[in-house]
């Protein structure tokens, strides 16, 4: 099992930056892939970014070039650096991991981008 706790969300202006963190309750070294999902009001949850254990990254087209996902295995922490934020980036951001076939989610952190 693993518990995931996100932090770093907040209210910002368009063009600002935020860094989200996801602290895991155990070593993430053996977790093959970790993700950041987001859910805007009245919309389905969507994948924003993925990182493999080896550091390979995948981004949604809408965030490519603006967001950077990274992981620090020594600190058991996943990050999402978000630059040039837009109002359409507003939503709840969730950390996700799959461990031995079971999906784990954090409680989410709210990001609100004002125009």
């Amino acid at each position: 099992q693993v518990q995931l706790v996100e932090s770093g969300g907040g209210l910002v202006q368009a063009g600002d930056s935020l860094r989200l963190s996801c602290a895991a309750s155990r070593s993430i070294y053996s977790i093959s892939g970790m993700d950041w999902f987001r859910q805007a009001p009245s919309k389905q949850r969507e994948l924003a970014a993925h990182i493999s254990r080896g550091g390979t990254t995948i981004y949604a087209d809408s965030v490519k070039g603006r967001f950077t996902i990274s992981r620090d295995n020594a600190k058991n922490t996943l990050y999402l650096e978000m630059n040039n934020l837009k109002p359409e980036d507003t939503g709840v951001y969730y950390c996700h991991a799959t461990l031995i076939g079971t999906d784990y989610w954090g409680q989410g952190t709210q990001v609100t981008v004002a125009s």
Side-chain angles (χ1 to χ4, degrees):
Q1 284 190 338
V2 60
Q3 282 77 47
L4 303 171
V5 179
E6 302 97 335
S7 61
L11 171 63
V12 297
Q13 298 295 314
D16 285 350
S17 298
L18 277 176
R19 187 173 84 154
L20 305 183
S21 299
C22 171
S25 61
R26 52 153 285 165
S27 172
I28 64 171
Y29 178 78
S30 60
I31 299 177
S32 58
M34 298 186 73
D35 317 278
W36 285 99
F37 281 76
R38 64 184 185 180
Q39 187 166 17
S42 305
K43 292 190 176 181
Q44 287 189 331
R45 194 172 296 189
E46 63 175 9
L47 177 69
H50 166 86
I51 187 167
S52 71
R53 187 167 67 180
T56 300
T57 57
I58 298 172
Y59 297 94
D61 287 343
S62 58
V63 308
K64 207 172 289 184
R66 300 187 298 120
F67 289 12
T68 302
I69 188 172
S70 61
R71 60 193 289 172
D72 187 333
N73 291 339
K75 294 183 178 179
N76 300 330
T77 303
L78 179 73
Y79 300 100
L80 186 67
E81 184 76 35
M82 305 186 293
N83 297 315
N84 190 22
L85 282 160
K86 303 176 180 180
E88 51 264 42
D89 294 319
T90 293
V92 180
Y93 283 69
Y94 298 92
C95 178
H96 169 263
T98 301
L99 184 62
I100 314 176
T102 300
D103 288 324
Y104 294 92
W105 296 90
Q107 82 290 349
T109 185
Q110 176 71 44
V111 172
T112 303
V113 184
S115 56

